[in-house]
PDB file of all heavy atoms in Angstrom:
ATOM      1  N   GLU A 262      15.912  51.336  76.939  1.00  0.00           N
ATOM      2  CA  GLU A 262      14.645  52.186  77.218  1.00  0.00           C
ATOM      3  C   GLU A 262      13.434  51.410  77.037  1.00  0.00           C
ATOM      4  O   GLU A 262      12.361  51.920  77.217  1.00  0.00           O
ATOM      5  CB  GLU A 262      14.669  53.409  76.351  1.00  0.00           C
ATOM      6  CG  GLU A 262      15.915  54.368  76.497  1.00  0.00           C
ATOM      7  CD  GLU A 262      15.979  55.455  75.447  1.00  0.00           C
ATOM      8  OE1 GLU A 262      15.026  55.494  74.554  1.00  0.00           O
ATOM      9  OE2 GLU A 262      16.925  56.231  75.510  1.00  0.00           O
ATOM     10  N   LEU A 263      13.506  50.147  76.512  1.00  0.00           N
ATOM     11  CA  LEU A 263      12.307  49.266  76.235  1.00  0.00           C
ATOM     12  C   LEU A 263      12.064  48.256  77.328  1.00  0.00           C
ATOM     13  O   LEU A 263      12.968  47.784  77.957  1.00  0.00           O
ATOM     14  CB  LEU A 263      12.557  48.634  74.823  1.00  0.00           C
ATOM     15  CG  LEU A 263      13.025  49.429  73.670  1.00  0.00           C
ATOM     16  CD1 LEU A 263      13.159  48.518  72.493  1.00  0.00           C
ATOM     17  CD2 LEU A 263      11.822  50.445  73.485  1.00  0.00           C
ATOM     18  N   SER A 264      10.869  47.987  77.476  1.00  0.00           N
ATOM     19  CA  SER A 264      10.423  46.888  78.366  1.00  0.00           C
ATOM     20  C   SER A 264      10.746  45.579  77.642  1.00  0.00           C
ATOM     21  O   SER A 264      11.023  45.549  76.480  1.00  0.00           O
ATOM     22  CB  SER A 264       8.949  46.900  78.662  1.00  0.00           C
ATOM     23  OG  SER A 264       8.256  46.620  77.468  1.00  0.00           O
ATOM     24  N   GLU A 265      10.676  44.432  78.389  1.00  0.00           N
ATOM     25  CA  GLU A 265      10.957  43.105  77.801  1.00  0.00           C
ATOM     26  C   GLU A 265      10.000  42.772  76.727  1.00  0.00           C
ATOM     27  O   GLU A 265      10.371  42.262  75.656  1.00  0.00           O
ATOM     28  CB  GLU A 265      10.986  41.997  78.853  1.00  0.00           C
ATOM     29  CG  GLU A 265      12.200  42.038  79.781  1.00  0.00           C
ATOM     30  CD  GLU A 265      13.572  41.933  78.984  1.00  0.00           C
ATOM     31  OE1 GLU A 265      13.582  41.218  78.069  1.00  0.00           O
ATOM     32  OE2 GLU A 265      14.487  42.758  79.310  1.00  0.00           O
ATOM     33  N   SER A 266       8.759  43.213  76.891  1.00  0.00           N
ATOM     34  CA  SER A 266       7.715  42.828  75.824  1.00  0.00           C
ATOM     35  C   SER A 266       7.984  43.725  74.610  1.00  0.00           C
ATOM     36  O   SER A 266       7.779  43.230  73.500  1.00  0.00           O
ATOM     37  CB  SER A 266       6.302  43.157  76.381  1.00  0.00           C
ATOM     38  OG  SER A 266       6.169  44.470  76.806  1.00  0.00           O
ATOM     39  N   GLU A 267       8.504  45.056  74.812  1.00  0.00           N
ATOM     40  CA  GLU A 267       8.731  45.802  73.713  1.00  0.00           C
ATOM     41  C   GLU A 267      10.014  45.328  72.923  1.00  0.00           C
ATOM     42  O   GLU A 267      10.071  45.414  71.685  1.00  0.00           O
ATOM     43  CB  GLU A 267       9.035  47.242  74.133  1.00  0.00           C
ATOM     44  CG  GLU A 267       7.735  47.970  74.568  1.00  0.00           C
ATOM     45  CD  GLU A 267       8.092  49.327  75.227  1.00  0.00           C
ATOM     46  OE1 GLU A 267       9.130  49.481  75.879  1.00  0.00           O
ATOM     47  OE2 GLU A 267       7.199  50.263  75.111  1.00  0.00           O
ATOM     48  N   LYS A 268      10.996  44.784  73.627  1.00  0.00           N
ATOM     49  CA  LYS A 268      12.181  44.195  73.052  1.00  0.00           C
ATOM     50  C   LYS A 268      11.754  42.906  72.175  1.00  0.00           C
ATOM     51  O   LYS A 268      12.221  42.736  71.127  1.00  0.00           O
ATOM     52  CB  LYS A 268      13.142  43.745  74.048  1.00  0.00           C
ATOM     53  CG  LYS A 268      13.957  44.884  74.765  1.00  0.00           C
ATOM     54  CD  LYS A 268      14.896  44.252  75.712  1.00  0.00           C
ATOM     55  CE  LYS A 268      15.656  45.436  76.461  1.00  0.00           C
ATOM     56  NZ  LYS A 268      16.693  44.869  77.443  1.00  0.00           N
ATOM     57  N   THR A 269      10.721  42.199  72.689  1.00  0.00           N
ATOM     58  CA  THR A 269      10.331  41.045  71.956  1.00  0.00           C
ATOM     59  C   THR A 269       9.655  41.524  70.682  1.00  0.00           C
ATOM     60  O   THR A 269       9.905  40.767  69.649  1.00  0.00           O
ATOM     61  CB  THR A 269       9.291  40.228  72.829  1.00  0.00           C
ATOM     62  OG1 THR A 269       9.928  39.698  73.986  1.00  0.00           O
ATOM     63  CG2 THR A 269       8.730  39.050  72.009  1.00  0.00           C
ATOM     64  N   VAL A 270       8.957  42.422  70.672  1.00  0.00           N
ATOM     65  CA  VAL A 270       8.168  42.975  69.475  1.00  0.00           C
ATOM     66  C   VAL A 270       9.248  43.497  68.493  1.00  0.00           C
ATOM     67  O   VAL A 270       9.193  43.257  67.251  1.00  0.00           O
ATOM     68  CB  VAL A 270       7.251  44.021  69.907  1.00  0.00           C
ATOM     69  CG1 VAL A 270       6.634  44.750  68.580  1.00  0.00           C
ATOM     70  CG2 VAL A 270       6.099  43.507  70.672  1.00  0.00           C
ATOM     71  N   LEU A 271      10.266  44.242  68.969  1.00  0.00           N
ATOM     72  CA  LEU A 271      11.289  44.777  68.011  1.00  0.00           C
ATOM     73  C   LEU A 271      12.115  43.623  67.412  1.00  0.00           C
ATOM     74  O   LEU A 271      12.340  43.723  66.275  1.00  0.00           O
ATOM     75  CB  LEU A 271      12.261  45.534  68.967  1.00  0.00           C
ATOM     76  CG  LEU A 271      13.405  46.289  68.195  1.00  0.00           C
ATOM     77  CD1 LEU A 271      13.003  47.343  67.182  1.00  0.00           C
ATOM     78  CD2 LEU A 271      14.467  46.823  69.185  1.00  0.00           C
ATOM     79  N   ARG A 272      12.422  42.581  68.273  1.00  0.00           N
ATOM     80  CA  ARG A 272      13.149  41.430  67.685  1.00  0.00           C
ATOM     81  C   ARG A 272      12.261  40.692  66.590  1.00  0.00           C
ATOM     82  O   ARG A 272      12.751  40.337  65.603  1.00  0.00           O
ATOM     83  CB  ARG A 272      13.408  40.518  68.834  1.00  0.00           C
ATOM     84  CG  ARG A 272      14.353  39.353  68.434  1.00  0.00           C
ATOM     85  CD  ARG A 272      14.913  38.595  69.625  1.00  0.00           C
ATOM     86  NE  ARG A 272      13.865  38.167  70.403  1.00  0.00           N
ATOM     87  CZ  ARG A 272      13.685  38.489  71.819  1.00  0.00           C
ATOM     88  NH1 ARG A 272      14.451  39.418  72.336  1.00  0.00           N
ATOM     89  NH2 ARG A 272      12.674  37.969  72.499  1.00  0.00           N
ATOM     90  N   ARG A 273      11.027  40.601  66.948  1.00  0.00           N
ATOM     91  CA  ARG A 273      10.180  39.873  66.003  1.00  0.00           C
ATOM     92  C   ARG A 273       9.980  40.568  64.612  1.00  0.00           C
ATOM     93  O   ARG A 273       9.951  39.977  63.595  1.00  0.00           O
ATOM     94  CB  ARG A 273       8.875  39.500  66.610  1.00  0.00           C
ATOM     95  CG  ARG A 273       7.937  38.695  65.830  1.00  0.00           C
ATOM     96  CD  ARG A 273       6.689  38.270  66.551  1.00  0.00           C
ATOM     97  NE  ARG A 273       5.808  39.396  66.798  1.00  0.00           N
ATOM     98  CZ  ARG A 273       5.305  39.819  67.998  1.00  0.00           C
ATOM     99  NH1 ARG A 273       5.584  39.105  69.070  1.00  0.00           N
ATOM    100  NH2 ARG A 273       4.520  40.823  68.127  1.00  0.00           N
ATOM    101  N   LYS A 274       9.883  41.871  64.769  1.00  0.00           N
ATOM    102  CA  LYS A 274       9.621  42.621  63.564  1.00  0.00           C
ATOM    103  C   LYS A 274      10.847  43.018  62.709  1.00  0.00           C
ATOM    104  O   LYS A 274      10.743  43.122  61.556  1.00  0.00           O
ATOM    105  CB  LYS A 274       8.754  43.918  63.917  1.00  0.00           C
ATOM    106  CG  LYS A 274       7.458  43.605  64.374  1.00  0.00           C
ATOM    107  CD  LYS A 274       6.636  44.945  64.553  1.00  0.00           C
ATOM    108  CE  LYS A 274       5.145  44.639  64.919  1.00  0.00           C
ATOM    109  NZ  LYS A 274       4.444  45.895  65.145  1.00  0.00           N
ATOM    110  N   LYS A 275      12.015  43.166  63.430  1.00  0.00           N
ATOM    111  CA  LYS A 275      13.051  43.798  62.792  1.00  0.00           C
ATOM    112  C   LYS A 275      14.343  42.840  62.592  1.00  0.00           C
ATOM    113  O   LYS A 275      15.141  43.107  61.741  1.00  0.00           O
ATOM    114  CB  LYS A 275      13.601  44.926  63.635  1.00  0.00           C
ATOM    115  CG  LYS A 275      12.622  46.059  63.856  1.00  0.00           C
ATOM    116  CD  LYS A 275      12.366  46.837  62.644  1.00  0.00           C
ATOM    117  CE  LYS A 275      11.445  47.954  62.914  1.00  0.00           C
ATOM    118  NZ  LYS A 275      11.081  48.775  61.760  1.00  0.00           N
ATOM    119  N   ILE A 276      14.338  41.681  63.314  1.00  0.00           N
ATOM    120  CA  ILE A 276      15.554  40.874  63.247  1.00  0.00           C
ATOM    121  C   ILE A 276      15.211  39.372  63.016  1.00  0.00           C
ATOM    122  O   ILE A 276      14.238  38.887  63.531  1.00  0.00           O
ATOM    123  CB  ILE A 276      16.282  40.915  64.654  1.00  0.00           C
ATOM    124  CG1 ILE A 276      16.557  42.380  65.205  1.00  0.00           C
ATOM    125  CG2 ILE A 276      17.526  40.054  64.726  1.00  0.00           C
ATOM    126  CD1 ILE A 276      16.973  42.546  66.552  1.00  0.00           C
ATOM    127  N   SER A 277      16.099  38.837  62.188  1.00  0.00           N
ATOM    128  CA  SER A 277      16.031  37.366  62.009  1.00  0.00           C
ATOM    129  C   SER A 277      17.424  36.796  62.229  1.00  0.00           C
ATOM    130  O   SER A 277      18.374  37.397  62.090  1.00  0.00           O
ATOM    131  CB  SER A 277      15.546  36.997  60.609  1.00  0.00           C
ATOM    132  OG  SER A 277      14.044  36.824  60.598  1.00  0.00           O
ATOM    133  N   PHE A 278      17.410  35.433  62.582  1.00  0.00           N
ATOM    134  CA  PHE A 278      18.570  34.718  62.871  1.00  0.00           C
ATOM    135  C   PHE A 278      18.788  33.447  62.028  1.00  0.00           C
ATOM    136  O   PHE A 278      17.884  32.868  61.610  1.00  0.00           O
ATOM    137  CB  PHE A 278      18.614  34.244  64.382  1.00  0.00           C
ATOM    138  CG  PHE A 278      18.499  35.368  65.309  1.00  0.00           C
ATOM    139  CD1 PHE A 278      17.298  35.880  65.781  1.00  0.00           C
ATOM    140  CD2 PHE A 278      19.605  35.976  65.949  1.00  0.00           C
ATOM    141  CE1 PHE A 278      17.073  36.826  66.635  1.00  0.00           C
ATOM    142  CE2 PHE A 278      19.499  36.936  66.923  1.00  0.00           C
ATOM    143  CZ  PHE A 278      18.148  37.466  67.281  1.00  0.00           C
ATOM    144  N   VAL A 279      20.012  33.273  61.726  1.00  0.00           N
ATOM    145  CA  VAL A 279      20.441  32.012  61.019  1.00  0.00           C
ATOM    146  C   VAL A 279      21.591  31.431  61.743  1.00  0.00           C
ATOM    147  O   VAL A 279      22.565  32.094  62.145  1.00  0.00           O
ATOM    148  CB  VAL A 279      21.000  32.258  59.524  1.00  0.00           C
ATOM    149  CG1 VAL A 279      21.448  30.971  58.890  1.00  0.00           C
ATOM    150  CG2 VAL A 279      19.869  33.015  58.685  1.00  0.00           C
ATOM    151  N   PHE A 280      21.416  30.103  62.146  1.00  0.00           N
ATOM    152  CA  PHE A 280      22.336  29.446  63.037  1.00  0.00           C
ATOM    153  C   PHE A 280      23.041  28.379  62.289  1.00  0.00           C
ATOM    154  O   PHE A 280      22.521  27.750  61.316  1.00  0.00           O
ATOM    155  CB  PHE A 280      21.548  28.881  64.215  1.00  0.00           C
ATOM    156  CG  PHE A 280      20.907  29.898  65.040  1.00  0.00           C
ATOM    157  CD1 PHE A 280      19.458  30.087  64.913  1.00  0.00           C
ATOM    158  CD2 PHE A 280      21.581  30.679  66.021  1.00  0.00           C
ATOM    159  CE1 PHE A 280      18.842  31.156  65.561  1.00  0.00           C
ATOM    160  CE2 PHE A 280      20.897  31.620  66.701  1.00  0.00           C
ATOM    161  CZ  PHE A 280      19.539  31.774  66.570  1.00  0.00           C
ATOM    162  N   GLN A 281      24.172  27.953  62.863  1.00  0.00           N
ATOM    163  CA  GLN A 281      24.978  26.738  62.292  1.00  0.00           C
ATOM    164  C   GLN A 281      24.093  25.550  62.411  1.00  0.00           C
ATOM    165  O   GLN A 281      24.219  24.760  61.386  1.00  0.00           O
ATOM    166  CB  GLN A 281      26.219  26.586  63.124  1.00  0.00           C
ATOM    167  CG  GLN A 281      27.057  25.373  62.620  1.00  0.00           C
ATOM    168  CD  GLN A 281      28.250  25.132  63.614  1.00  0.00           C
ATOM    169  OE1 GLN A 281      28.626  26.038  64.376  1.00  0.00           O
ATOM    170  NE2 GLN A 281      28.873  24.014  63.536  1.00  0.00           N
ATOM    171  N   ALA A 282      23.387  25.321  63.379  1.00  0.00           N
ATOM    172  CA  ALA A 282      22.593  24.083  63.639  1.00  0.00           C
ATOM    173  C   ALA A 282      21.163  24.031  62.940  1.00  0.00           C
ATOM    174  O   ALA A 282      20.418  23.146  63.202  1.00  0.00           O
ATOM    175  CB  ALA A 282      22.489  23.768  65.079  1.00  0.00           C
ATOM    176  N   PHE A 283      20.899  25.064  62.101  1.00  0.00           N
ATOM    177  CA  PHE A 283      19.712  25.115  61.217  1.00  0.00           C
ATOM    178  C   PHE A 283      18.407  25.371  62.127  1.00  0.00           C
ATOM    179  O   PHE A 283      17.642  26.316  61.756  1.00  0.00           O
ATOM    180  CB  PHE A 283      19.497  23.935  60.336  1.00  0.00           C
ATOM    181  CG  PHE A 283      20.734  23.375  59.773  1.00  0.00           C
ATOM    182  CD1 PHE A 283      21.039  22.110  59.738  1.00  0.00           C
ATOM    183  CD2 PHE A 283      21.508  24.192  58.986  1.00  0.00           C
ATOM    184  CE1 PHE A 283      22.185  21.592  59.193  1.00  0.00           C
ATOM    185  CE2 PHE A 283      22.768  23.794  58.429  1.00  0.00           C
ATOM    186  CZ  PHE A 283      22.987  22.469  58.490  1.00  0.00           C
ATOM    187  N   ARG A 284      18.317  24.596  63.177  1.00  0.00           N
ATOM    188  CA  ARG A 284      17.156  24.812  64.113  1.00  0.00           C
ATOM    189  C   ARG A 284      15.745  24.618  63.323  1.00  0.00           C
ATOM    190  O   ARG A 284      14.803  25.434  63.593  1.00  0.00           O
ATOM    191  CB  ARG A 284      17.224  26.117  64.810  1.00  0.00           C
ATOM    192  CG  ARG A 284      18.503  26.146  65.731  1.00  0.00           C
ATOM    193  CD  ARG A 284      18.422  27.274  66.722  1.00  0.00           C
ATOM    194  NE  ARG A 284      19.711  27.317  67.471  1.00  0.00           N
ATOM    195  CZ  ARG A 284      19.931  28.204  68.519  1.00  0.00           C
ATOM    196  NH1 ARG A 284      19.023  29.039  68.768  1.00  0.00           N
ATOM    197  NH2 ARG A 284      21.023  28.178  69.115  1.00  0.00           N
ATOM    198  N   LEU A 285      15.637  23.703  62.429  1.00  0.00           N
ATOM    199  CA  LEU A 285      14.399  23.427  61.767  1.00  0.00           C
ATOM    200  C   LEU A 285      13.576  22.393  62.658  1.00  0.00           C
ATOM    201  O   LEU A 285      14.211  21.612  63.350  1.00  0.00           O
ATOM    202  CB  LEU A 285      14.619  22.788  60.412  1.00  0.00           C
ATOM    203  CG  LEU A 285      15.461  23.724  59.456  1.00  0.00           C
ATOM    204  CD1 LEU A 285      15.699  22.999  58.106  1.00  0.00           C
ATOM    205  CD2 LEU A 285      14.705  25.057  59.107  1.00  0.00           C
ATOM    206  N   LEU A 286      12.226  22.468  62.495  1.00  0.00           N
ATOM    207  CA  LEU A 286      11.407  21.494  63.098  1.00  0.00           C
ATOM    208  C   LEU A 286      11.310  20.239  62.141  1.00  0.00           C
ATOM    209  O   LEU A 286      10.859  20.404  61.078  1.00  0.00           O
ATOM    210  CB  LEU A 286      10.102  22.070  63.384  1.00  0.00           C
ATOM    211  CG  LEU A 286       9.998  23.230  64.396  1.00  0.00           C
ATOM    212  CD1 LEU A 286       8.658  23.793  64.580  1.00  0.00           C
ATOM    213  CD2 LEU A 286      10.564  22.759  65.809  1.00  0.00           C
ATOM    214  N   HIS A 287      11.722  19.117  62.655  1.00  0.00           N
ATOM    215  CA  HIS A 287      11.862  17.975  61.840  1.00  0.00           C
ATOM    216  C   HIS A 287      10.479  17.254  61.599  1.00  0.00           C
ATOM    217  O   HIS A 287      10.472  16.479  60.691  1.00  0.00           O
ATOM    218  CB  HIS A 287      12.776  16.930  62.450  1.00  0.00           C
ATOM    219  CG  HIS A 287      14.239  17.261  62.359  1.00  0.00           C
ATOM    220  ND1 HIS A 287      15.087  17.030  61.318  1.00  0.00           N
ATOM    221  CD2 HIS A 287      15.008  18.166  63.289  1.00  0.00           C
ATOM    222  CE1 HIS A 287      16.256  17.602  61.548  1.00  0.00           C
ATOM    223  NE2 HIS A 287      16.256  18.308  62.662  1.00  0.00           N
ATOM    224  N   SER A 288       9.480  17.689  62.324  1.00  0.00           N
ATOM    225  CA  SER A 288       8.131  17.146  62.115  1.00  0.00           C
ATOM    226  C   SER A 288       7.425  17.898  61.000  1.00  0.00           C
ATOM    227  O   SER A 288       6.395  17.570  60.596  1.00  0.00           O
ATOM    228  CB  SER A 288       7.308  17.258  63.441  1.00  0.00           C
ATOM    229  OG  SER A 288       7.179  18.579  63.853  1.00  0.00           O
ATOM    230  N   LEU A 289       8.043  19.111  60.520  1.00  0.00           N
ATOM    231  CA  LEU A 289       7.383  19.854  59.538  1.00  0.00           C
ATOM    232  C   LEU A 289       8.146  19.797  58.206  1.00  0.00           C
ATOM    233  O   LEU A 289       9.362  19.557  58.178  1.00  0.00           O
ATOM    234  CB  LEU A 289       7.357  21.348  59.977  1.00  0.00           C
ATOM    235  CG  LEU A 289       6.533  21.651  61.200  1.00  0.00           C
ATOM    236  CD1 LEU A 289       6.595  23.079  61.586  1.00  0.00           C
ATOM    237  CD2 LEU A 289       5.115  21.210  61.114  1.00  0.00           C
ATOM    238  N   SER A 290       7.473  19.971  57.125  1.00  0.00           N
ATOM    239  CA  SER A 290       8.065  20.021  55.873  1.00  0.00           C
ATOM    240  C   SER A 290       8.878  21.252  55.702  1.00  0.00           C
ATOM    241  O   SER A 290       8.663  22.245  56.495  1.00  0.00           O
ATOM    242  CB  SER A 290       7.027  19.887  54.789  1.00  0.00           C
ATOM    243  OG  SER A 290       6.154  21.100  54.801  1.00  0.00           O
ATOM    244  N   ALA A 291       9.570  21.421  54.555  1.00  0.00           N
ATOM    245  CA  ALA A 291      10.338  22.693  54.330  1.00  0.00           C
ATOM    246  C   ALA A 291       9.452  23.808  54.206  1.00  0.00           C
ATOM    247  O   ALA A 291       9.618  24.907  54.952  1.00  0.00           O
ATOM    248  CB  ALA A 291      11.143  22.545  53.090  1.00  0.00           C
ATOM    249  N   ILE A 292       8.361  23.730  53.422  1.00  0.00           N
ATOM    250  CA  ILE A 292       7.372  24.768  53.266  1.00  0.00           C
ATOM    251  C   ILE A 292       6.719  25.203  54.658  1.00  0.00           C
ATOM    252  O   ILE A 292       6.505  26.348  54.990  1.00  0.00           O
ATOM    253  CB  ILE A 292       6.364  24.542  52.148  1.00  0.00           C
ATOM    254  CG1 ILE A 292       5.743  25.833  51.834  1.00  0.00           C
ATOM    255  CG2 ILE A 292       5.422  23.455  52.602  1.00  0.00           C
ATOM    256  CD1 ILE A 292       4.930  25.745  50.441  1.00  0.00           C
ATOM    257  N   ASP A 293       6.502  24.248  55.413  1.00  0.00           N
ATOM    258  CA  ASP A 293       5.759  24.519  56.761  1.00  0.00           C
ATOM    259  C   ASP A 293       6.720  25.173  57.759  1.00  0.00           C
ATOM    260  O   ASP A 293       6.344  25.874  58.605  1.00  0.00           O
ATOM    261  CB  ASP A 293       5.199  23.247  57.332  1.00  0.00           C
ATOM    262  CG  ASP A 293       3.943  22.734  56.485  1.00  0.00           C
ATOM    263  OD1 ASP A 293       3.283  23.556  55.887  1.00  0.00           O
ATOM    264  OD2 ASP A 293       3.482  21.601  56.626  1.00  0.00           O
ATOM    265  N   ASN A 294       8.066  24.747  57.589  1.00  0.00           N
ATOM    266  CA  ASN A 294       8.999  25.428  58.498  1.00  0.00           C
ATOM    267  C   ASN A 294       9.032  26.967  58.221  1.00  0.00           C
ATOM    268  O   ASN A 294       9.127  27.758  59.064  1.00  0.00           O
ATOM    269  CB  ASN A 294      10.431  24.847  58.283  1.00  0.00           C
ATOM    270  CG  ASN A 294      10.683  23.782  59.349  1.00  0.00           C
ATOM    271  OD1 ASN A 294      11.011  24.054  60.544  1.00  0.00           O
ATOM    272  ND2 ASN A 294      10.632  22.503  58.951  1.00  0.00           N
ATOM    273  N   VAL A 295       9.001  27.302  56.849  1.00  0.00           N
ATOM    274  CA  VAL A 295       9.101  28.682  56.496  1.00  0.00           C
ATOM    275  C   VAL A 295       7.722  29.388  56.861  1.00  0.00           C
ATOM    276  O   VAL A 295       7.743  30.492  57.331  1.00  0.00           O
ATOM    277  CB  VAL A 295       9.380  28.855  54.973  1.00  0.00           C
ATOM    278  CG1 VAL A 295       9.385  30.259  54.540  1.00  0.00           C
ATOM    279  CG2 VAL A 295      10.662  28.171  54.626  1.00  0.00           C
ATOM    280  N   ALA A 296       6.709  28.719  56.622  1.00  0.00           N
ATOM    281  CA  ALA A 296       5.288  29.304  57.003  1.00  0.00           C
ATOM    282  C   ALA A 296       5.225  29.647  58.438  1.00  0.00           C
ATOM    283  O   ALA A 296       4.621  30.654  58.806  1.00  0.00           O
ATOM    284  CB  ALA A 296       4.252  28.324  56.530  1.00  0.00           C
ATOM    285  N   LEU A 297       5.942  28.769  59.212  1.00  0.00           N
ATOM    286  CA  LEU A 297       5.912  29.056  60.727  1.00  0.00           C
ATOM    287  C   LEU A 297       6.671  30.322  61.013  1.00  0.00           C
ATOM    288  O   LEU A 297       6.128  31.181  61.894  1.00  0.00           O
ATOM    289  CB  LEU A 297       6.660  27.908  61.454  1.00  0.00           C
ATOM    290  CG  LEU A 297       6.778  28.039  62.990  1.00  0.00           C
ATOM    291  CD1 LEU A 297       5.386  27.997  63.597  1.00  0.00           C
ATOM    292  CD2 LEU A 297       7.543  26.926  63.550  1.00  0.00           C
ATOM    293  N   GLY A 298       7.746  30.665  60.278  1.00  0.00           N
ATOM    294  CA  GLY A 298       8.331  31.971  60.510  1.00  0.00           C
ATOM    295  C   GLY A 298       7.363  33.114  60.138  1.00  0.00           C
ATOM    296  O   GLY A 298       7.440  34.193  60.790  1.00  0.00           O
ATOM    297  N   LEU A 299       6.562  32.963  59.122  1.00  0.00           N
ATOM    298  CA  LEU A 299       5.626  33.966  58.748  1.00  0.00           C
ATOM    299  C   LEU A 299       4.552  34.030  59.799  1.00  0.00           C
ATOM    300  O   LEU A 299       4.094  35.131  60.221  1.00  0.00           O
ATOM    301  CB  LEU A 299       4.991  33.571  57.460  1.00  0.00           C
ATOM    302  CG  LEU A 299       5.808  33.747  56.262  1.00  0.00           C
ATOM    303  CD1 LEU A 299       5.289  32.987  55.039  1.00  0.00           C
ATOM    304  CD2 LEU A 299       6.050  35.259  55.877  1.00  0.00           C
TER     305      LEU A 299
END
């Protein structure tokens, strides 16, 4: 029942993912990787 933009908002606010491959940005420090999530 949601538009694609509404799904994006739902995903951003309600859901987080953890992957096998970590998917961290290697150019950023640990604290900056987490701050990016915020």
Side-chain angles (χ1 to χ4, degrees):
E262 300 172 0
L263 304 178
S264 67
E265 287 304 316
S266 61
E267 288 172 328
K268 286 182 186 179
T269 298
V270 171
L271 180 67
R272 186 169 58 243
R273 186 172 67 231
K274 291 185 175 181
K275 302 290 185 179
I276 304 169
S277 271
F278 299 87
V279 178
F280 301 98
Q281 175 184 350
F283 317 131
R284 300 193 182 180
L285 300 175
L286 294 178
H287 290 269
S288 60
L289 298 180
S290 65
I292 194 169
D293 287 339
N294 265 284
V295 178
L297 182 61
L299 290 160

